[in-house]
Amino acid sequence: MTTILQYTRRPDITFHISGRIDITARVAKALALQPGDTIDIARDTGEYYLYVKHRNAVGRHEAQCRATNHGKTCNNMRAHSKQLCQAVLKVNGNYLEARLPVGEPISHPSLGTALPIIIHHNIPNH
């Protein structure tokens, strides 16, 4: 007997080689992301954390979040940062796309609210 769904876990954040970063509503809500916020990834004691670097940044910034849809109920976000994507893809070991889960939000002493990224667990695209 074989199952149709081999993997049921869906990614929380996806990094593309083009520099596009897709952020799910779950992650956006956990970090209280709003359009205009900028994100970054910090490494601390071997863990990688996604956090909001600047709230409501004025002007153009790298990794600045935008809503993927202009409707009132859109919670998915998208950001662009070739540098951030290349760094994640290099650590992940996949050079085209990294579809990654994140852990539960933590309160980091220097970052504020942050989400641990499970960086070595690439979720297959089926």
Side-chain angles (χ1 to χ4, degrees):
M1 178 169 77
T2 61
T3 64
I4 302 297
L5 292 175
Q6 293 178 357
Y7 300 99
T8 58
R9 180 69 163 102
R10 293 171 45 182
D12 293 310
I13 189 164
T14 304
F15 297 89
H16 300 271
I17 195 166
S18 65
R20 187 178 84 202
I21 304 167
D22 296 324
I23 304 165
T24 62
R26 177 182 173 272
V27 171
K29 286 179 186 177
L31 292 175
L33 280 176
Q34 297 294 319
D37 293 348
T38 59
I39 58 169
D40 197 4
I41 295 176
R43 184 171 183 228
D44 185 26
T45 62
E47 294 285 333
Y48 291 85
Y49 296 101
L50 178 70
Y51 70 101
V52 178
K53 187 164 190 146
H54 299 290
R55 294 270 179 205
N56 199 15
V58 177
R60 293 179 46 146
H61 292 268
E62 191 162 343
Q64 191 170 27
C65 296
R66 299 281 179 231
T68 59
N69 188 347
H70 297 291
K72 289 183 180 180
T73 61
C74 179
N75 294 315
N76 295 323
M77 296 282 182
R78 182 169 287 155
H80 292 277
S81 172
K82 189 117 180 169
Q83 183 179 359
L84 200 57
C85 286
Q86 286 176 343
V88 169
L89 292 171
K90 183 177 180 182
V91 173
N92 181 263
N94 186 340
Y95 295 101
L96 297 176
E97 181 179 76
R99 299 165 43 92
L100 305 173
V102 299
E104 293 299 317
I106 64 160
S107 181
H108 194 276
S110 60
L111 304 174
T113 302
L115 291 172
I117 300 175
I118 306 169
I119 203 122
H120 295 292
H121 182 69
N122 210 18
I123 297 173
N125 187 10
H126 291 288

